[in-house]
Amino acid sequence: MNKTAICEILITSDIHGHIYPTDYRMAEDRNLGLAKIATIIERERQHAPDLLLLDNGDLIQGSPLASYYIKQQQQSDAPHPMVAVLNKLGYDAAVPGNHEFNYGRDVLRRVMAESAFPWLSAGIINLNTGSPAFGTPYIVKKIGPSADPIKVAILGVTTHYIPNWENPQHLKGLGFQDALKTTREWVARIREREHPDLLIVSYHGGFERDPVSGEATEKLTGENQGYAICREVAGIDVLITGHQHRFLATQLGEVTVIQPGCYGQALGKIVVEWEKQGDRWRISRQSAELLMVDESVNADRTILAMFSGLEAKTQGWLDQPIGQVEGDMRIHSPFICRTADHAFMEFVNKVQMEAAGAPVSCAALLSDESQGFGPTITMRDVLGNFMYPNTLTVLRLRGRDIRAALEQTAAYFVVGPDGRLAVNPAYVRPKAQHYNYDMWEGIRYELDIARSFGERVVKLTDPDGMNIEDEMEFEVVMNSYRAGGGGDYEMFKGKPVVREIGADMAELISDYIQRYRTIRASCDHNWRVTVDGTEA
């Protein structure tokens, strides 16, 4: 009888600081978080004690608990709570995601030093030495019987698109090499050096094409290269993906593919079986599935207890009233909010303009779950609306750049079969991208969605009604993600940077509210979206 063996690989990705099964906007429980994922991991360990446990990035940022730790607690000796959980659960490795850089290199260095596991990323290099910036880009694990172990190689790769979004100060001394090219080179190197029985690529990036049809699902910028990695790189057995927050468990050619969503809503599981043929182990079967977190999964009590004090302080911080609203600044419909000037978005733009000293601003409603501000504003409200630690950048733009940006933002809408305004499906699937629709202050404009793409800006003037000509110059403030061209705003790339504001938007908003205490909801109705001239 042939000798056989089996290996189980468990994967988390895009946890974004979520330990507790909590919706921090409402202080309600939800089926997510590492405490619930831990319960599933321990359950899997009961029948697969030699399993491999990997995290695919975007771990340390994204929840109020993570924000509170960074802003209030990180001077203590306590390790970052996300790292403490991964250490407790015995993770074998992690890959840095783009959001690992949000708090700067000092925070990232400390996080990595606190980790009992290696951080793998072949394509991020130290510019001074040309070597991988975070130590080894891959590890080799031996599993199964000690007399005849199975050799598993795990390569970490991170999307090289990070410089298009991140504060340049956070990336000093780092180079970001093309992820596809990096994967091809390192897979060949690992195959030649290590001769593994299984080669896993853990890639903090997603799919640029539909895994089934191969059709492009986004502009091929290089941000996501999962499809090309599967199709063009020989020697990969398993590809772990992330970044897009999708739920994927499939086979693409000979490669088993997984992407376990976000916030700890699912745990990825890959099972690989081998048969011994001569002196080599040969893969006989591979499978991928998502172990979803639901009501039947109880949160791990030990992990909840580890951070009960931090969680209590976070909740107290979130519930502190910091100001009042005079009028209505609530978002009753995110769709309607994006069709005409709204008091909440006008407020956001005014904060940006004051903080940066710029006469023109653009900003996005970051999520369809954003609710604006009610009569009393708390820190919970601020962080619920400003979940990303974006800083501000002032660019010097010409009139033609502003017009091009408005045409890009107008692509968010289409005219539906019923002749009414609708959201372009490309901004909903495969990943919701509502944050790539901008609303402007300091100019006046009208978008007519009945017109063809690229011809939708039918009005563009300054506040006094004078037409904005192509060569006119303006200082425009926007978040750092957009200033780098994020969201396909190519017209912003390489434009002169007038100044940068180091504080993130949540801090700027909360400081503004606490300074003025009472915020008056107002709206100058400087822009609107129409369909053939009729308001949407």
Side-chain angles (χ1 to χ4, degrees):
M1 178 180 288
N2 288 341
K3 185 185 292 186
T4 61
I6 188 168
C7 173
E8 185 171 316
I9 306 139
L10 300 181
I11 304 104
T12 53
S13 189
D14 298 270
I15 296 293
H16 285 289
H18 287 80
I19 295 174
Y20 284 76
T22 300
D23 182 341
Y24 284 96
R25 293 164 303 146
M26 303 292 190
E28 296 175 349
D29 284 352
R30 287 182 60 191
N31 291 316
L32 52 74
L34 272 179
K36 285 205 169 194
I37 289 290
T39 299
I40 303 178
I41 291 171
E42 293 309 314
R43 184 182 69 198
E44 292 298 308
R45 274 207 172 104
Q46 291 177 11
H47 61 78
D50 290 333
L51 60 78
L52 297 175
L53 186 54
L54 308 173
D55 184 78
N56 194 48
D58 279 5
L59 176 72
I60 67 172
Q61 173 278 337
S63 73
L65 183 142
S67 295
Y68 181 80
Y69 171 82
I70 292 294
K71 293 179 183 298
Q72 309 288 336
Q73 297 286 108
Q74 68 166 332
Q75 299 306 317
S76 71
D77 293 332
H80 193 290
M82 304 306 296
V83 168
V85 175
L86 267 59
N87 287 344
K88 170 74 173 173
L89 294 174
Y91 270 68
D92 292 288
V95 173
N98 50 293
H99 285 287
E100 260 64 71
F101 296 88
N102 286 165
Y103 298 119
R105 293 289 302 283
D106 288 344
V107 170
L108 183 53
R109 286 190 193 98
R110 176 174 171 175
V111 162
M112 290 183 170
E114 293 167 345
S115 302
F117 48 85
W119 289 77
L120 313 175
S121 192
I124 303 176
I125 63 167
N126 183 317
L127 288 176
N128 293 324
T129 65
S131 59
F134 306 124
T136 180
Y138 73 93
I139 58 172
V140 174
K141 304 288 286 188
K142 292 184 178 180
I143 61 174
S146 58
D148 193 9
I150 292 169
K151 199 173 185 181
V152 180
I154 305 160
L155 172 68
V157 185
T158 304
T159 176
H160 61 268
Y161 217 63
I162 291 174
N164 290 284
W165 314 308
E166 189 54 69
N167 184 336
Q169 296 298 316
H170 297 168
L171 306 179
K172 275 190 173 180
L174 296 177
F176 292 80
Q177 298 178 324
D178 181 272
L180 175 61
K181 182 180 178 182
T182 296
T183 303
R184 182 182 292 113
E185 291 174 353
W186 278 96
V187 165
R189 196 175 306 178
I190 292 167
R191 284 290 181 192
E192 182 180 354
R193 286 181 181 176
E194 308 291 351
H195 305 288
D197 301 302
L198 182 75
L199 199 154
I200 301 169
V201 174
S202 188
Y203 167 53
H204 190 84
F207 279 87
E208 73 282 25
R209 297 181 181 275
D210 182 273
V212 177
S213 68
E215 293 183 12
T217 53
E218 59 182 49
K219 289 184 179 179
L220 303 181
T221 62
E223 175 181 352
N224 299 300
Q225 298 175 298
Y227 189 88
I229 288 172
C230 281
R231 290 301 193 193
E232 299 178 25
V233 181
I236 300 173
D237 299 307
V238 172
L239 179 65
I240 297 166
T241 62
H243 186 55
Q244 293 173 314
H245 298 187
R246 298 171 67 182
F247 295 103
L248 296 174
T250 188
Q251 195 80 14
L252 186 52
E254 297 182 354
V255 182
T256 302
V257 172
I258 199 92
Q259 187 174 152
C262 60
Y263 310 138
Q265 297 178 83
L267 180 68
K269 176 182 175 180
I270 291 175
V271 177
V272 183
E273 298 178 19
W274 287 269
E275 288 184 355
K276 197 65 180 287
Q277 296 179 3
D279 61 350
R280 289 296 309 271
W281 288 103
R282 303 291 181 185
I283 296 171
S284 60
R285 182 176 175 273
Q286 295 175 225
S287 64
E289 65 176 310
L290 297 171
L291 306 178
M292 303 302 296
V293 172
D294 57 27
E295 289 80 3
S296 69
V297 179
N298 295 318
D300 184 288
R301 292 180 180 273
T302 301
I303 288 175
L304 294 180
M306 286 172 64
F307 306 103
S308 58
L310 179 61
E311 174 71 1
K313 289 178 181 178
T314 301
Q315 293 290 351
W317 175 60
L318 289 173
D319 286 331
Q320 292 176 6
I322 60 174
Q324 305 292 321
V325 172
E326 187 179 284
D328 189 3
M329 209 176 278
R330 293 170 296 180
I331 297 171
H332 302 280
S333 163
F335 180 84
I336 293 174
C337 176
R338 295 186 180 102
T339 63
D341 199 14
H342 186 283
F344 179 75
M345 291 309 303
E346 179 147 322
F347 165 75
V348 174
N349 276 311
K350 283 183 175 179
V351 172
Q352 292 190 173
M353 292 159 79
E354 180 178 300
V360 182
S361 172
C362 64
L365 183 66
L366 297 178
S367 168
D368 265 15
E369 296 181 341
S370 295
Q371 298 180 356
F373 293 148
T376 299
I377 308 172
T378 66
M379 281 302 300
R380 190 183 303 278
D381 300 319
V382 173
L383 290 176
N385 287 286
F386 302 95
M387 64 289 294
Y388 303 115
N390 291 320
T391 57
L392 297 180
T393 300
V394 180
L395 297 182
R396 181 173 292 114
L397 302 178
R398 296 187 184 273
R400 62 172 176 265
D401 301 319
I402 293 175
R403 180 176 291 274
L406 289 171
E407 291 290 356
Q408 175 62 35
T409 216
Y412 177 82
F413 287 116
V414 293
V415 178
D418 58 359
R420 301 177 66 180
L421 195 67
V423 176
N424 186 336
Y427 285 78
V428 180
R429 295 182 301 273
K431 176 185 178 181
Q433 298 182 58
H434 303 295
Y435 51 81
N436 283 328
Y437 176 83
D438 286 341
M439 292 160 272
W440 290 64
E441 194 63 39
I443 58 174
R444 305 188 73 84
Y445 64 95
E446 181 177 326
L447 308 176
D448 189 343
I449 307 306
R451 299 197 174 205
S452 301
F453 289 113
E455 300 177 357
R456 290 176 165 184
V457 180
V458 295
K459 175 184 176 182
L460 178 58
T461 73
D462 68 13
D464 296 323
M466 299 292 292
N467 286 336
I468 292 177
E469 305 297 338
D470 282 355
E471 296 306 315
M472 290 180 173
E473 288 193 345
F474 299 84
E475 291 186 2
V476 182
V477 60
M478 62 193 72
N479 70 45
S480 53
Y481 168 76
R482 187 70 79 240
D488 298 326
Y489 284 78
E490 299 289 327
M491 71 293 301
F492 294 153
K493 285 186 175 181
K495 292 300 185 291
V497 174
V498 178
R499 56 189 162 274
E500 296 176 304
I501 311 302
D504 67 44
M505 270 305 288
E507 184 177 346
L508 291 172
I509 293 287
S510 62
D511 286 351
Y512 184 98
I513 294 167
Q514 290 177 83
R515 184 163 65 252
Y516 291 101
R517 292 296 177 183
T518 298
I519 310 301
R520 183 175 176 272
S522 63
C523 191
D524 63 2
H525 305 288
N526 65 302
W527 66 273
R528 67 173 187 164
V529 176
T530 68
V531 176
D532 203 16
T534 302
E535 287 192 12

